């Protein structure tokens, strides 16, 4: 329990700040309220302990535990007070009133972290600095460590300032960072001719430079739990600090000198890999984790980690809701608390070196799992194996690659030679990621939030309680059993899908929205993404889809395009309708992930493998919106399965589409989630055997009875995702066969008729 004396209050303060940081108007009042709660809890604990002391002195009881709880709450509320005041000060900065901002740049391309140093030529109030995220900048080459001045639009996202700037004047980097640019560019040049994915990955593994990493390799690293190797993390900082400390020791330096050398090396490394806040956090937390592990003072390490979290949140309150910060803190805590303990348990059956290699990713993943499944309702069953295989190679790449980086300006030939040495372990790591991604268990479904988060949290609690009671093996076993049960429950629809393994078309259950998948051979197409990235990702995982060759966004209403972040780095070509202000960030994000983009109009066609996709709408210049939805026909060979997707077209646009001409089809995705605004003649012309309706809980009355009857009167069966869940279709001699996620609906796999 001594380990928790500071950790629990800091966690309470963090939770309070995260809950309130999105409402800037209440932060000051909340700080005063937190101070009052702290005083009340402290007074209550004092009075309670005085009342109990004559009878329970020297003993322990539930009453004394109540006193401890009050003291913990008091400290947590007291710590929340300065955090809330800090967030209130950030909100009150008033950057939106500045015509011109002065910035310190911490990246080379937007979006990037910046530090706001001035407003309209003057320093910020009180000489304070404010971190911000520069989302977009026009026609300016950014340099790390450089200063920039120009007109910017600023607005708050919770307690986080966001900026878009135009006409920035960028000055040369300051002396403290100017030396690092040539080193970074030198490593890129030294590794430029290295072959394959190993050459792409080397700069990322060495100094976190991912400019050459392809979207496919980036996705593979994410799916297999190896992405932490390309992001500068605590492990990189530990290697640098350890190497500097040992080098100083080899030269006979005193302990104080060794510590100074190690700290200097760490500071230089942070500048080299770009001093963004995430990198600074990784360096600080790596140092804390190293201190805890090296000294064996677990309680001290947890307390230091808690203090570091508190300081970082006081300086940058917006990180209270940052998933990256949470993962960094939780992973470090997992390594401190359970890394050695799990290794000791595993060493009963395995040699200690192998047990330690398994324990490190297992402990980190266990502590990070509640956050990970909240972001993406999938778990990787191969991540521990992938880290076991790739982990030993990572320090070699970091050390040798860093040596190549340092040698590049002075001896380019030596740098190239060192890069070739580092290429072999880098290529090994890349191949492990690419091959592990192809394994069936690379990404398995997990329940979506909140139940998925609850299940992951219970698993962590079982391990924590088991460890506290010196029954860690039982706690781990209980967590594994629970994870197996929950995972099988989430994967059950995928297991049932085996009865329709030859599915061609699927309508994903993404709530009140639409997402339609088409698969033939190795080609995969997706029309729309629904609103929630987690829901469309759940559907992709259930259906075994890793990437999408062609993504069609019919229009940019959030219920059709909001899930697109799940497709970043996994899309080959994006086809979309007319652009508006909502569309630009969606298209830019997908393009940044490697997708080619094209605006569609009637007559455009694309061939994806053997699948032909043709745009039926829009015709000519149309204002963005529902009636500008991209309508497509998709023709799958070898079985006569055709699909027409209508987006959110209304009856008037459907009438114009009918006059322009469209084919009959076996399957139609009913327009606008089955609204009443339909043209019966259009559906009679299509004459589909199945009408797919992507719909969820809504206040619009979707799908209407009229739309359901219209599908039936046209010779088809209406299939709605709010009742059936995800729907998959196949075709054979008997016609279209249907599989549904929820067995309770028409959930059997059964024919629904012959196609047109």
């Amino acid at each position: 329990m001594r380990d928790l004396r500071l950790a629990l209050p800091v966690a309470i303060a963090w939770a309070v700040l995260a809950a309130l940081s999105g409402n800037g108007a209440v932060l000051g009042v909340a700080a005063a309220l937190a101070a009052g709660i702290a005083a009340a809890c402290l007074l209550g604990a004092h009075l309670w302990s005085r009342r109990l002391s004559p009878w329970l002195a020297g003993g322990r009881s539930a009453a004394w535990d109540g006193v401890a709880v009050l003291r913990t709450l008091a400290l947590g509320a007291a710590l929340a007070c300065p955090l809330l005041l800090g967030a209130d000060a950030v909100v009150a900065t008033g950057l939106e009133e500045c015509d011109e901002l002065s910035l310190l740049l911490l990246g080379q391309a937007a979006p990037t972290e910046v530090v706001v140093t001035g407003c309209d030529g003057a320093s910020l109030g009180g000489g304070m600095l404010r971190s911000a995220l520069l989302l977009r900048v026009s026609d300016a080459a950014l340099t790390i460590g450089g200063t920039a001045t120009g007109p910017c639009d600023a607005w708050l996202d919770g307690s986080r300032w966001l900026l878009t700037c135009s006409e920035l004047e960028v000055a040369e980097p300051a002396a403290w960072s100017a030396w690092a640019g040539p080193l970074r560019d030198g490593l890129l040049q030294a590794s430029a001719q290295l072959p394959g994915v190993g050459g792409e990955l080397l700069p990322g593994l060495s100094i976190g430079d991912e400019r050459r990493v392809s979207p496919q390799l980036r996705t593979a690293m994410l799916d297999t739990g190896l992405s932490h190797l390309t992001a500068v993390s605590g492990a990189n900082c530990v290697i640098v600090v350890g190497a500097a400390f040992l080098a100083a020791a080899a030269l006979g330096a005193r302990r104080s000198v060794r510590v100074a050398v190690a700290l200097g090396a760490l500071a230089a490394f942070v500048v080299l890999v770009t001093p963004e806040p995430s990198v600074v956090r990784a360096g600080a937390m790596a140092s804390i984790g190293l201190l805890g592990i090296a000294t064996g003072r677990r309680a001290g390490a947890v307390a230091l980690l808690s203090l570091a979290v508190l300081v970082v949140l006081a300086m940058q309150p917006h990180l209270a809701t940052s998933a990256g910060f949470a993962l960094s803190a939780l992973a470090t805590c997992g390594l401190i608390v359970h890394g050695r303990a799990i290794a000791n348990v595993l060493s009963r059956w395995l040699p200690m070196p192998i047990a330690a290699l398994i324990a490190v990713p297992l402990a980190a993943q266990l502590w990070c799992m509640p956050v990970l499944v909240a972001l993406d309702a999938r778990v990787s069953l191969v991540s521990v194996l992938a880290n076991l295989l790739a982990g030993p190679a990572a320090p070699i790449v970091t050390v040798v690659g860093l040596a190549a980086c340092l040698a590049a300006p002075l001896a380019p030939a030596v740098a190239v030679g060192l890069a070739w040495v580092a290429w072999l372990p880098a290529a090994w790591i890349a191949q492990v990621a690419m091959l592990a991604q192809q394994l069936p268990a690379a990404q398995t479904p997990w329940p979506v939030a909140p139940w998925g988060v609850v299940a992951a949290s219970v698993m962590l609690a079982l391990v924590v309680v088991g460890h506290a009671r010196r029954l860690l093996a039982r706690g781990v076993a209980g967590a594994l059993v629970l994870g197996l049960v929950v995972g099988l429950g989430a994967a059950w629809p995928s297991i049932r899908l085996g009865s329709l393994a030859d599915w061609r078309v699927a309508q994903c259950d993404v709530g009140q929205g639409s997402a339609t998948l088409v698969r033939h051979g190795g080609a995969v197409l997706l029309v729309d993404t629904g609103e929630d990235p987690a829901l469309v990702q759940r559907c992709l995982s259930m259906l075994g889809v890793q990437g999408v060759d062609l993504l069609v966004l019919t229009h940019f209403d959030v219920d059709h395009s909001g899930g697109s972040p799940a497709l970043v780095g996994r899309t080959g070509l994006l086809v979309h309708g007319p652009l508006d202000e909502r569309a630009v960030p969606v298209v830019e994000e997908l393009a940044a992930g490697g997708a080619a983009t094209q605006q569609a109009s009637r007559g455009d066609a694309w061939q994806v493998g053997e699948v032909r996709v043709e745009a039926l709408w829009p015709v000519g210049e149309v204002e963005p919106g529902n009636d500008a939805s991209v309508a497509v026909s998709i023709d799958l060979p070898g079985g006569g399965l055709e699909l027409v997707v209508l987006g959110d077209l209304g009856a008037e646009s459907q009438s114009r589409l009918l006059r322009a001409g469209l084919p009959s089809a076996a399957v139609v995705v009913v327009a606008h989630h089955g609204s009443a605004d339909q043209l019966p003649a259009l559906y009679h012309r299509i004459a589909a055997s199945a009408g797919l309706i992507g719909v969820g809980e809504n206040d619009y009355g979707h799908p209407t009875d009229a739309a359901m009857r219209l599908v039936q009167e046209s010779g088809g069966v209406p299939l709605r995702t709010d009742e059936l869940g995800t729907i998959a279709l196949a075709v054979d001699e008997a016609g279209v066969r249907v599989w549904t996620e929820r067995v309770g609906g028409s959930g059997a796999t059964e024919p629904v008729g012959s196609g047109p």
Side-chain angles (χ1 to χ4, degrees), residues 511-745:
Q512 177 63 11
S514 185
T516 309
L517 268 170
V518 178
R519 181 187 71 173
H520 179 77
V524 177
L525 297 78
L526 177 63
V527 183
D528 290 331
T529 65
E531 180 176 356
D532 189 341
L535 292 181
V536 71
Q537 180 55 65
R538 173 183 176 275
C539 180
L540 296 177
S541 299
M542 180 172 64
L543 298 172
V545 173
Q546 298 290 337
V548 172
D549 299 295
L550 174 62
L551 171 62
V552 179
L553 293 180
T554 60
H555 60 300
F556 290 94
D557 283 357
V558 69
D559 58 339
H560 288 256
S561 65
S564 60
L567 280 301
V568 173
R570 307 167 67 185
T571 301
L573 172 64
L574 167 65
V575 171
H576 58 83
L579 301 177
D580 56 18
E581 65 278 358
R582 303 170 302 171
V584 173
V586 175
V587 174
E588 287 182 348
E589 185 178 22
L590 288 165
T597 64
Q598 180 179 344
Q599 183 167 322
S601 59
R602 182 177 175 86
D604 292 338
W606 304 270
Q607 193 76 25
V608 183
E610 297 182 276
V611 180
R612 176 178 170 79
V613 183
E614 183 176 352
L616 305 174
W617 194 264
V619 176
E621 295 293 331
V622 186
E623 287 296 320
N626 287 354
D627 288 328
S629 294
V630 177
V632 294
S633 67
I634 302 174
D635 186 10
L636 287 80
L641 180 59
E642 303 86 19
L643 169 70
V644 170
V645 185
L646 298 171
D648 275 359
L649 293 180
E652 182 179 348
S653 296
Q654 291 178 23
S655 176
R656 296 174 58 194
L657 173 58
L658 180 61
R659 292 195 299 270
L662 78 164
S664 58
V667 182
V668 62
V669 178
V670 178
H672 206 170
H673 321 290
S675 75
D677 191 18
Q678 310 287 346
L679 182 71
L682 182 87
Y683 289 88
H684 288 299
R685 171 68 184 89
I686 297 173
S689 300
L692 301 176
I693 306 174
V695 65
E697 183 178 349
N698 65 88
D699 298 325
Y700 309 109
H702 298 165
T704 62
D705 293 339
M708 300 284 283
R709 285 196 304 270
L710 181 55
V711 174
Q712 294 170 334
E713 292 169 357
S714 302
V717 176
L719 303 168
R720 45 194 289 185
T721 56
D722 61 336
E723 293 183 349
L724 304 175
T726 294
I727 303 161
L729 308 177
V731 65
D732 57 19
E733 296 79 4
V736 177
R737 292 182 291 116
V738 182
W739 172 94
T740 61
E741 180 181 3
R742 298 174 192 159
V743 182

Side-chain angles (χ1 to χ4, degrees), residues 77-163:
L79 294 176
C81 185
L83 297 185
L84 292 168
L85 289 174
D88 187 54
V90 170
V91 172
T93 304
L95 296 183
E96 75 277 4
E97 299 176 0
C98 301
D99 295 324
E100 185 177 82
L101 293 177
S102 299
L103 309 175
L104 173 64
L105 304 174
L106 301 179
Q108 294 177 293
T112 182
E113 296 282 347
V114 298
V115 176
V116 181
T117 59
C119 168
D120 295 332
S123 299
L124 297 180
M128 298 296 293
L129 304 177
R130 293 287 179 246
S131 67
L133 182 65
L134 178 60
L135 295 176
R136 194 177 305 121
V137 60
S138 301
D139 302 326
L142 307 184
T143 57
I144 298 172
T147 57
T149 305
C152 299
D153 292 325
W155 67 96
L156 278 169
D157 179 17
S159 57
R160 172 70 149 167
W161 284 103
L162 305 179
L163 309 176

Side-chain angles (χ1 to χ4, degrees), residues 87-473:
D88 187 54
V90 170
V91 172
T93 304
L95 296 183
E96 75 277 4
E97 299 176 0
C98 301
D99 295 324
E100 185 177 82
L101 293 177
S102 299
L103 309 175
L104 173 64
L105 304 174
L106 301 179
Q108 294 177 293
T112 182
E113 296 282 347
V114 298
V115 176
V116 181
T117 59
C119 168
D120 295 332
S123 299
L124 297 180
M128 298 296 293
L129 304 177
R130 293 287 179 246
S131 67
L133 182 65
L134 178 60
L135 295 176
R136 194 177 305 121
V137 60
S138 301
D139 302 326
L142 307 184
T143 57
I144 298 172
T147 57
T149 305
C152 299
D153 292 325
W155 67 96
L156 278 169
D157 179 17
S159 57
R160 172 70 149 167
W161 284 103
L162 305 179
L163 309 176
T164 59
C165 300
S166 59
E167 302 177 5
L168 280 181
E169 295 183 8
V170 181
E172 290 298 317
W176 61 267
S177 64
W179 60 272
L183 294 181
R184 287 189 292 269
D185 295 338
L187 180 59
L188 280 183
Q189 294 174 5
S191 61
Q193 298 183 2
L194 300 179
V197 289
E200 295 179 23
L201 200 57
L202 174 57
L205 293 170
S206 302
I207 59 172
D209 191 336
E210 298 184 84
R211 284 179 284 177
R212 293 183 56 204
V213 178
S214 66
Q216 294 76 17
L217 180 56
R218 182 177 288 108
T219 300
M221 298 289 286
L222 284 168
D223 287 347
T224 55
L226 295 176
S227 59
H228 64 94
L229 298 179
T230 56
V232 174
S233 62
N236 302 77
C237 297
V238 165
I239 291 171
V240 170
V241 169
F245 196 91
L246 291 175
L251 296 175
R254 299 191 307 273
R255 175 175 292 272
S256 59
V257 176
R258 282 180 274 169
V259 170
V261 169
L263 290 175
L266 178 60
F269 183 67
V270 167
V271 173
L272 177 63
V273 300
T274 72
E276 297 186 7
S278 60
V279 177
V280 174
R281 294 194 308 273
M285 292 185 176
S287 300
I288 293 167
L290 178 63
L291 179 62
I293 294 171
T295 61
R297 296 180 60 190
R298 189 179 62 190
V302 172
L304 287 173
L305 174 60
S306 303
L307 182 60
V309 167
L310 190 65
V311 170
V312 170
L313 291 177
M315 296 176 62
Q316 301 187 63
H318 68 272
L319 293 178
T321 56
S322 166
F325 179 70
L327 291 171
S328 177
L330 289 171
T332 304
C333 189
L335 294 178
I336 294 171
V337 175
H338 285 136
R340 183 182 296 275
I342 292 177
N344 289 336
V345 171
L346 294 177
S347 66
R348 301 173 188 175
W349 305 281
L350 298 170
M352 178 54 83
I354 297 178
L357 285 174
I358 296 174
V360 168
L362 186 60
Q365 183 165 340
L366 178 68
W367 277 74
C368 292
M369 193 171 171
V371 176
L372 290 173
V373 298
L375 299 172
D376 184 355
R378 299 181 297 167
V379 295
S380 175
L381 299 184
V382 302
S383 62
V384 173
L385 174 62
N387 277 275
L388 176 63
L389 295 174
I396 301 174
V397 183
T398 298
V399 173
V400 180
L402 185 57
C405 181
L406 296 174
L410 303 175
V414 174
V416 171
L418 290 171
W420 273 103
V421 174
W423 171 83
L424 183 61
W428 167 256
I429 293 172
Q431 289 299 329
V432 167
M434 300 292 284
L435 292 175
Q437 187 191 31
Q438 306 305 316
L439 295 176
Q443 290 291 319
T444 59
W446 190 262
V448 297
W451 300 116
V453 177
V454 171
S457 300
V458 172
M459 291 174 61
L460 175 58
L462 287 172
V463 175
V464 171
V465 171
H467 188 203
R469 296 184 175 181
R470 302 183 183 276
L471 297 171
L472 180 59

